[in-house]
Amino acid sequence: MLSQEVLLKQRAEILHALCSSGSSEHLERVVDMLLAQGELGWEDYQNVLVPGRTLYCNARQLLDLVYTKGAESCGLFFAAVKQVLPEAQGAGLFSSEFPSSSDDREKPQRTFTEALLTQRPSLISKLQGCLDGVLAALVESGHFSSSDCDGVQLPIHTPSQQARRLLDHVRSKGESAAAVVLQYVEHTQESRPTLEETSPTLNKEFVKYRKKLSRSVSAQSRFLSTYGGTSHMPLDDIYTDLHLELPNSSGDDYKSFDFEDIFGPVGTVNEDADTVLVSGEAGSGKSTWLQRLHLLWAQGVGLQNFVLLFPFSCRRLNSEQRDLSVKELLFQHCCWPDREQEEIFQFILDHPHLVLFTFDGLDELKQNLVDEHIICCPNQQAPVHVLLFNLIQGSLMKGVRKVVTSRPEAVGPGLKKHLQKEVHLKGFSPSGINCFVRKHHNDPNEAAKVLESLQANTALLGLCHIPVLCWIVSQCHKELLGCGEGSPQTVTDVYLMILQHFFQHHSTFKGAVGVNWLQQNLGTVLRLGQLALEGILNSSYVFSVTDLETCSLTESDICMGFLIQTKNMSLVHSICYEFLHITMQCFFAAIYTILSSNTGRSVIPKLFELHEMKKRSLSSACFYLPCANEQTISEDHSTTAESPNLQITATFASGLLSQRYRKLWFHCSSSVLLEKKAKQAAKCLSKGMQQHFKSIPQPVQGEKKSMHAMPEFVWLIKCIYEMQETRIAKDAMSKLEVDHLKLTYCNIGPVECTALAFVLQHLKNPVGIQLDNNSVGDVGVEQLLPCMHVCNSLYLRNNNITDESIRKLIDKVIHLDNFRKIALFNNRLTDACTQHFSYLLKTKQNFLSLRLGNNNITAEGAKQLAEGLKFNNSLQYLGLWGNKIGDEGAKALASALQNSNSIVWISLVGNGVGSAGAIALSNIIRNSTSLEELWLTENCITRTGVESLTQALKHNDHVKSVWLKNNDLSSAEVEELQKTESRLVF
């Protein structure tokens, strides 16, 4: 296939690859290469990279320009793109082989300015490391003024853009200025040692220290520690890949993110920053993922471009009360060099790019990270949280790479602006659940039974997308397989199952524990619960022996396995303990809250208090818990509790107060007390929902009333679901009167979908449900089915949905009168789903809107849809932008819709539609009495196709516009055609 044809066919993919990161770096590097080869002139360069114009517009301008220059230019463009794009992005983008961008087109360089041009790509890379020196040399030689230097070093530009501005400016200064730059760069490169040259200088003590650090990291990482202590599982044997996503990514573009990709260019939003944030909800696998990264480095099989790796746990750093310098932080909390500490630390200062810091659990720091104390000196002592802020934002140890894990809400905009990129960790995919369960069970038959049980209980399957819950279910497989119809449905069910599992495991009786298992172990539960709740209230997750003694914990309590010894890499070898997982601590805190008579009346209301999710902690003073000796926690040692952990505790409390468990608590607490607390919780939930409903603004005249829900609304819904009280759900929904419920960017996965369906099914009137930009997935779609009867429109943009769930969704909604609109763009749908949508269109004659943009639908899928459209008399909106239907697909759709009297709007943007397809689509314009807008932007339609559309418009005054921007038309053709028909939009 000719390179020009490839450019047209894969235009949308090329644009996405060049621009999807949000950075212009890829585009600018391609332009650099084409400039260096003489394929672009300076006028071309200025026409492509127009300041202030959007990145996509600049990229389209380059594609248009290259196309008009012919096949050879297209081939060189492809070669440059292949060289610039990361391998993961560029693989498979082009099917043909094209000339190398470093080919035999080099020309003799007769002048220094020509050398600046032909060497431009490599010069830009070299100049970034010596920009200040080059500018000083140009000023000293009289070629640059201070204002010239300021113009080059504008802070809004990245280092590579500053290098480009320098080269552009030097070109205008003439031969002598170009000579200064070339000579300076050549001298700098000759005098600067390479990494290969520096590596042999590592002395024996440094090598010895690196081995000691590596052994220490390996020892800490070798066995699964996140849910540790209960079994000795090697991480290599049990680790299962997690689903990683960039914010606003579509479908599975980044599902194969691995550890090396974390430091790659994909997803970079700030090239000057050194910190990558890996964010995820509690239990999503952040700590285990980071542990795997540590082990790969220690084993020498990954991340070997880092000579040293220093791992930190923010949970353990909380106990550090002293002011520390960076050196003390590294050596005391990770690994102390036996000798030559100063020399080793100096190596770190001199080679920051060879060093990696990791900080696990930033959300568990007691202190807020705020821009209150900037330090730049690595020898200056400061509190740990001040050091961490300055390390992350780059004022301290600039150049050292950092990876930070945290729950999303803990990192505010003040810190996010200092991130190189953020990656969302979404837990297990369906295949990940399968893989983890099979790894967890040596007996394949046993694993198959567990997986079969999960498939039969989609609510439990949804829970297993959270790795910590998948671990619990796998750990408790005997209880799971023996519970029949009583299989766990809620998170509380799962945690009660593991609680019983642990007690059964340590019971002196070999028979079944029975209904009194909790009563038999009540003392242990309450003592652990007191420790857990005091920790939650004080943002403490690591406990000393003194803390345990204060709560009267015994050796047998510790031996139960809910508490494990912390792994301490510092020189301070005092014994400390932590709960298996933060959610386990919240669970025990919830049990103590509902069973203990020592908790005050304010505890339940405080748990359910609404907080601003952007804040890390409560703004109000902490509430205090009476201890067994009637004394409260000392105010001097209390800090504000973290709202996310309070909310997890409240969720568990909701479940534990359910009527389902009253028999379990019968001999453990006063029934009167439990009833009071249950009523308190129900009242708090009702009040919280009403607060959200009151915040709904009145609709603008002519528009529907809409509620844009915040994450706390979803949390309240989850609490109601955990209680499994239909009465509370009905009461809450009876007060919600909206036409549209918007739940975008609320971290909604399968678990949340189960809760939403449980509550929303009680709505009085049908609503539009918008769940764009979440993690619903196929399991989540299935969990939403029970509330589809109150849904008139469903929006699921960017939710990692595949064809698998579409059949079940269509089977559910096809006979529901209310359901009339669906939007599924930016997912992973293929032609396999179109037969189900075709059946929907044939059967449902009141269906109004089908939007399947930016999926993987080809001409075959379009033909399937056309079969349904032939029999449909109601569809008004058809959106297929960003697919690959081509001319054949356009022809099939045109044939089905050419006599439609319902279709109002069609979008085939970015589908590889050419003039043949446009000619076919002209028949819809010519014959339809309802069509108002036809979108054909970003295709490859030539003048012939546009003229056909123009002729059709003469027969139809009802059509308002036909959009034709960025097709295969010259500027002169666009100007001429626009004059013939004003409804053509170019």
Side-chain angles (χ1 to χ4, degrees):
M1 185 182 295
L2 293 175
S3 52
Q4 282 179 296
E5 294 176 354
V6 176
L7 185 67
L8 291 179
K9 184 177 180 181
Q10 297 193 289
R11 183 183 176 96
E13 292 95 326
I14 298 167
L15 283 169
H16 179 75
L18 287 174
C19 306
S20 60
S21 69
S23 167
S24 61
E25 181 63 15
H26 291 154
L27 177 65
E28 289 170 348
R29 286 178 61 194
V30 170
V31 173
D32 290 335
M33 291 181 180
L34 296 176
L35 264 176
Q37 294 164 354
E39 203 56 43
L40 295 184
W42 285 105
E43 186 178 349
D44 297 329
Y45 171 71
Q46 292 166 351
N47 288 335
V48 169
L49 299 181
V50 177
R53 194 167 65 182
T54 66
L55 175 58
Y56 272 90
C57 284
N58 283 342
R60 290 188 189 103
Q61 182 66 29
L62 176 61
L63 265 60
D64 293 343
L65 187 61
V66 168
Y67 180 86
T68 58
K69 286 179 177 286
E72 188 176 3
S73 289
C74 291
L76 291 167
F77 165 78
F78 288 141
V81 170
K82 276 187 175 182
Q83 188 169 332
V84 165
L85 287 181
E87 187 173 346
Q89 269 190 297
L93 189 58
F94 313 116
S95 56
S96 306
E97 290 295 322
F98 302 108
S100 167
S101 58
S102 55
D103 62 5
D104 56 2
R105 292 171 55 92
E106 293 185 7
K107 300 176 182 177
Q109 299 161 16
R110 294 184 296 273
T111 65
F112 292 117
T113 49
E114 287 179 356
L116 284 186
L117 185 61
T118 57
Q119 298 176 32
R120 183 180 177 91
S122 62
L123 282 172
I124 288 168
S125 176
K126 294 171 183 176
L127 282 169
Q128 292 178 60
C130 59
L131 198 66
D132 290 337
V134 173
L135 289 171
L138 288 166
V139 170
E140 186 178 347
S141 62
H143 293 97
F144 266 33
S145 64
S146 59
S147 61
D148 291 329
C149 295
D150 292 340
V152 167
Q153 292 184 299
L154 286 173
I156 61 170
H157 296 301
T158 65
S160 61
Q161 288 172 334
Q162 290 178 352
R164 290 184 182 93
R165 289 175 68 85
L166 173 66
L167 291 177
D168 296 347
H169 209 33
V170 167
R171 176 178 169 272
S172 66
K173 298 287 184 179
E175 278 290 291
S176 56
V180 170
V181 172
L182 290 168
Q183 290 165 9
Y184 187 93
V185 171
E186 183 178 0
H187 174 72
T188 303
Q189 290 301 118
E190 288 174 353
S191 60
R192 180 181 295 167
T194 63
L195 178 60
E196 290 76 14
E197 291 169 337
T198 58
S199 294
T201 65
L202 303 180
N203 60 37
K204 290 183 179 179
E205 282 302 321
F206 184 91
V207 173
K208 184 179 177 182
Y209 173 68
R210 186 180 188 277
K211 288 181 179 178
K212 181 180 179 181
L213 177 63
S214 179
R215 285 195 298 269
S216 180
V217 173
S218 178
Q220 300 297 321
S221 309
R222 189 170 299 156
F223 295 98
L224 184 69
S225 63
T226 313
Y227 329 122
T230 56
S231 55
H232 216 50
M233 295 183 288
L235 188 67
D236 278 335
D237 293 343
I238 198 67
Y239 182 79
T240 303
D241 287 334
L242 297 157
H243 181 71
L244 290 164
E245 254 181 34
L246 290 174
N248 304 321
S249 66
S250 61
D252 58 353
D253 288 346
Y254 304 107
K255 69 174 183 178
S256 59
F257 244 51
D258 60 25
F259 293 99
E260 302 292 347
D261 292 328
I262 292 297
F263 305 102
V266 177
T268 296
V269 294
N270 183 355
E271 292 180 352
D272 288 335
D274 308 313
T275 301
V276 175
L277 171 66
V278 179
S279 63
E281 297 301 326
S284 60
K286 301 183 295 295
S287 296
T288 305
W289 179 87
L290 198 58
Q291 185 184 341
R292 177 64 173 169
L293 181 148
H294 295 161
L295 186 59
L296 290 175
W297 177 82
Q299 291 174 336
V301 296
L303 307 170
Q304 291 308 288
N305 50 327
F306 297 111
V307 177
L308 299 174
L309 183 150
F310 294 95
F312 298 95
S313 164
C314 295
R315 176 182 295 189
R316 289 156 206 163
L317 288 176
N318 274 331
S319 60
E320 183 59 77
Q321 304 298 321
R322 301 167 296 163
D323 285 4
L324 299 174
S325 66
V326 173
K327 185 174 78 171
E328 291 166 334
L329 179 72
L330 297 182
F331 294 161
Q332 291 183 18
H333 279 269
C334 290
C335 182
W336 190 269
D338 296 325
R339 296 176 183 169
E340 297 186 10
Q341 292 94 342
E342 292 298 330
E343 290 81 356
I344 290 170
F345 188 61
Q346 190 59 48
F347 175 90
I348 295 170
L349 297 178
D350 293 340
H351 304 87
H353 61 288
L354 300 179
V355 182
L356 174 64
F357 295 168
T358 68
F359 299 97
D360 187 28
L362 192 68
D363 51 296
E364 294 182 3
L365 272 182
K366 287 184 179 181
Q367 299 88 350
N368 290 336
L369 294 184
V370 293
D371 196 355
E372 60 181 13
H373 187 190
I374 301 299
I375 57 175
C376 303
C377 176
N379 295 312
Q380 182 179 345
Q381 291 186 327
V384 167
H385 73 282
V386 174
L387 285 183
L388 259 61
F389 178 82
N390 284 275
L391 285 169
I392 291 169
Q393 68 104 355
S395 60
L396 191 60
M397 303 293 286
K398 180 70 175 173
V400 171
R401 304 303 294 270
K402 301 106 183 173
V403 176
V404 177
T405 68
S406 174
R407 279 182 267 190
E409 66 274 4
V411 183
L415 201 56
K416 280 195 175 183
K417 66 183 180 182
H418 299 297
L419 298 177
Q420 182 195 35
K421 72 174 78 168
E422 179 178 3
V423 181
H424 292 169
L425 194 136
K426 298 289 189 177
F428 287 146
S429 65
S431 60
I433 295 172
N434 189 300
C435 180
F436 182 86
V437 171
R438 293 189 184 281
K439 283 185 175 183
H440 197 280
H441 297 281
N442 293 326
D443 183 352
N445 292 327
E446 195 173 73
K449 288 179 181 178
V450 173
L451 290 169
E452 185 180 346
S453 180
L454 290 179
Q455 293 297 332
N457 182 349
T458 54
L460 186 58
L461 181 63
L463 291 173
C464 286
H465 284 261
I466 303 172
V468 67
L469 298 184
C470 194
W471 173 78
I472 291 174
V473 167
S474 297
Q475 195 79 0
C476 303
H477 63 279
K478 290 181 180 177
E479 290 88 343
L480 174 68
L481 296 174
C483 57
E485 292 299 319
S487 184
Q489 298 286 316
T490 69
V491 177
T492 308
D493 293 342
V494 173
Y495 276 76
L496 276 171
M497 184 170 68
I498 197 170
L499 192 67
Q500 183 173 353
H501 170 84
F502 272 51
F503 286 133
Q504 173 72 64
H505 184 70
H506 289 90
S507 174
T508 54
F509 305 101
K510 297 304 177 185
V513 176
V515 74
N516 293 321
W517 64 268
L518 183 62
Q519 185 185 1
Q520 294 165 8
N521 297 280
L522 186 60
T524 297
V525 170
L526 290 177
R527 289 188 289 271
L528 285 168
Q530 182 183 343
L531 179 72
L533 186 55
E534 290 184 14
I536 293 293
L537 302 185
N538 290 289
S539 298
S540 295
Y541 312 103
V542 177
F543 305 98
S544 66
V545 173
T546 303
D547 295 328
L548 270 61
E549 290 173 349
T550 301
C551 295
S552 305
L553 266 88
T554 66
E555 187 66 31
S556 62
D557 294 336
I558 297 171
C559 289
M560 282 292 174
F562 298 109
L563 287 175
I564 57 172
Q565 269 192 324
T566 61
K567 296 181 178 181
N568 199 333
M569 298 182 73
S570 69
L571 294 177
V572 183
H573 293 298
S574 57
I575 298 175
C576 293
Y577 294 87
E578 59 189 337
F579 281 87
L580 282 175
H581 193 268
I582 183 61
T583 55
M584 188 66 73
Q585 184 174 344
C586 293
F587 179 64
F588 272 102
I591 292 181
Y592 189 79
T593 298
I594 69 160
L595 292 185
S596 174
S597 58
N598 292 327
T599 54
R601 293 183 62 186
S602 64
V603 173
I604 295 286
K606 204 69 178 181
L607 283 179
F608 289 95
E609 188 174 18
L610 298 180
H611 311 280
E612 292 179 22
M613 294 303 290
K614 291 182 180 178
K615 294 181 179 178
R616 284 196 67 251
S617 57
L618 299 173
S619 57
S620 56
C622 178
F623 61 103
Y624 305 116
L625 172 70
C627 301
N629 61 1
E630 298 296 310
Q631 294 180 352
T632 59
I633 300 169
S634 168
E635 187 170 349
D636 294 336
H637 300 291
S638 67
T639 60
T640 54
E642 294 177 357
S643 58
N645 291 333
L646 286 175
Q647 289 179 348
I648 295 172
T649 305
T651 306
F652 282 128
S654 300
L656 295 169
L657 287 168
S658 168
Q659 286 285 349
R660 298 172 298 148
Y661 295 125
R662 293 300 167 85
K663 188 176 180 181
L664 183 62
W665 313 136
F666 186 74
H667 296 290
C668 301
S669 183
S670 160
S671 59
V672 174
L673 182 63
L674 285 170
E675 189 64 33
K676 282 183 179 179
K677 290 182 178 180
K679 287 181 178 178
Q680 257 191 316
K683 184 177 179 181
C684 290
L685 289 172
S686 178
K687 183 180 176 182
M689 296 296 277
Q690 287 178 43
Q691 282 182 255
H692 279 280
F693 300 159
K694 287 177 182 177
S695 68
I696 303 172
Q698 288 300 314
V700 178
Q701 188 173 4
E703 292 186 2
K704 292 183 177 181
K705 189 175 183 180
S706 178
M707 173 183 172
H708 193 160
M710 302 303 287
E712 279 189 332
F713 175 79
V714 179
W715 163 60
L716 291 173
I717 293 276
K718 288 170 71 176
C719 289
I720 294 172
Y721 173 70
E722 290 294 318
M723 291 191 89
Q724 290 285 290
E725 300 287 350
T726 302
R727 176 185 56 81
I728 297 175
K730 284 182 177 179
D731 180 64
M733 291 300 98
S734 68
K735 298 178 177 67
L736 179 59
E737 295 181 357
V738 292
D739 300 300
H740 191 81
L741 184 58
K742 193 173 183 180
L743 291 153
T744 57
Y745 294 103
C746 284
N747 292 313
I748 292 173
V751 176
E752 290 73 21
C753 288
T754 307
L756 283 169
F758 178 81
V759 176
L760 295 182
Q761 64 181 311
H762 300 293
L763 281 165
K764 292 190 300 182
N765 301 310
V767 298
I769 301 176
Q770 188 169 351
L771 289 163
D772 294 343
N773 297 294
N774 285 293
S775 304
V776 171
D778 291 330
V779 175
V781 170
E782 191 168 350
Q783 293 304 94
L784 288 170
L785 297 183
C787 70
M788 284 299 100
H789 65 281
V790 296
C791 178
N792 55 36
S793 55
L794 181 62
Y795 301 85
L796 288 167
R797 173 184 181 180
N798 196 18
N799 268 287
N800 204 31
I801 294 166
T802 71
D803 304 321
E804 183 181 339
S805 58
I806 298 302
R807 178 186 59 79
K808 294 176 183 177
L809 177 62
I810 300 302
D811 285 348
K812 177 69 177 180
V813 304
I814 200 162
H815 300 299
L816 298 176
D817 261 356
N818 293 323
F819 192 86
R820 299 183 180 186
K821 297 178 183 179
I822 192 166
L824 286 160
F825 28 96
N826 281 18
N827 281 290
R828 296 164 56 198
L829 304 178
T830 70
D831 293 338
C833 77
T834 55
Q835 60 178 314
H836 305 300
F837 285 115
S838 181
Y839 177 57
L840 173 76
L841 292 167
K842 283 181 183 177
T843 309
K844 195 168 174 55
Q845 291 303 318
N846 65 345
F847 196 70
L848 301 178
S849 178
L850 177 62
R851 300 176 191 250
L852 302 174
N854 205 24
N855 281 284
N856 298 294
I857 297 169
T858 70
E860 290 307 309
K863 290 175 183 177
Q864 284 276 5
L865 290 175
E867 288 303 310
L869 288 168
K870 289 177 184 177
F871 300 95
N872 184 276
N873 299 310
S874 62
L875 192 73
Q876 296 177 356
Y877 299 91
L878 177 64
L880 289 169
W881 59 272
N883 283 286
K884 303 169 186 175
I885 70 165
D887 281 335
E888 290 303 309
K891 288 177 183 178
L893 293 173
S895 176
L897 291 170
Q898 63 182 348
N899 295 312
S900 171
N901 294 318
S902 64
I903 197 72
V904 173
W905 179 91
I906 304 171
S907 174
L908 301 178
V909 171
N911 264 283
V913 177
S915 289
I919 291 169
L921 292 165
S922 299
N923 290 326
I924 305 179
I925 297 175
R926 191 182 302 271
N927 299 324
S928 174
T929 59
S930 56
L931 184 68
E932 294 181 1
E933 287 191 271
L934 175 61
W935 285 74
L936 295 171
T937 304
E938 300 286 352
N939 282 292
C940 40
I941 301 168
T942 63
R943 183 185 185 113
T944 303
V946 177
E947 287 176 344
S948 178
L949 294 167
T950 304
Q951 289 299 317
L953 284 169
K954 292 179 180 178
H955 299 276
N956 192 332
D957 295 331
H958 189 70
V959 175
K960 295 177 180 178
S961 54
V962 177
W963 293 76
L964 289 162
K965 288 183 178 180
N966 297 315
N967 275 279
D968 292 343
L969 301 163
S970 67
S971 299
E973 286 176 322
V974 167
E975 187 175 351
E976 180 185 345
L977 291 166
Q978 206 160 23
K979 290 177 180 177
T980 63
E981 176 53 71
S982 61
R983 288 175 289 173
L984 298 179
V985 183
F986 294 97

